Amino acid sequence: MNSSSNQAAGADAWADLSASIESTIREALAVIRPAAAALGGDEDLAQAADLDSAEVMDLIMEIEDRLDLSIPVETTAQARTINELCAGIVQLKRGVS
């Protein structure tokens, strides 16, 4: 494989990981607030899904259980949307802090 093929394969792997993580977030959200699983990726998660702080923590714990990882408080505090939360978890998976 040449360098550009390796880069494309790596990009595809991260795109697949991102899609898988987004799906996991939506599945976890469906457990906490079923109607919210269809939210747009850029909508404010807590506001649009009408989650209180306890439900946000329940959501994070559900995601952690499903992905078998610990999500730092900083990641959850900075993520206001599904897309931002997904990006933060992808960074964790990539080993970038």
Side-chain angles (χ1 to χ4, degrees), residues 12-94:
D12 287 345
W14 290 118
D16 291 346
L17 176 63
S18 182
S20 174
I21 289 171
E22 180 180 349
S23 177
T24 300
I25 291 169
R26 291 183 182 283
E27 290 168 5
L29 186 56
V31 170
I32 307 301
R33 182 85 60 195
L39 286 177
D42 289 327
E43 291 185 71
D44 184 291
L45 194 52
Q47 187 176 28
D50 193 29
L51 299 175
D52 62 28
S53 58
E55 290 169 322
V56 170
M57 292 311 302
D58 288 343
L59 173 64
I60 296 304
M61 289 189 308
E62 185 73 27
I63 293 167
E64 288 176 332
D65 288 347
R66 290 170 181 263
L67 294 176
D68 193 29
L69 77 130
S70 179
I71 302 171
V73 173
E74 304 84 44
T75 300
T76 58
Q78 294 171 356
R80 304 211 41 91
T81 67
I82 290 174
N83 290 347
E84 290 173 353
L85 182 56
C86 183
I89 295 170
V90 167
Q91 284 184 334
L92 287 173
K93 290 282 199 176
R94 291 178 94 169

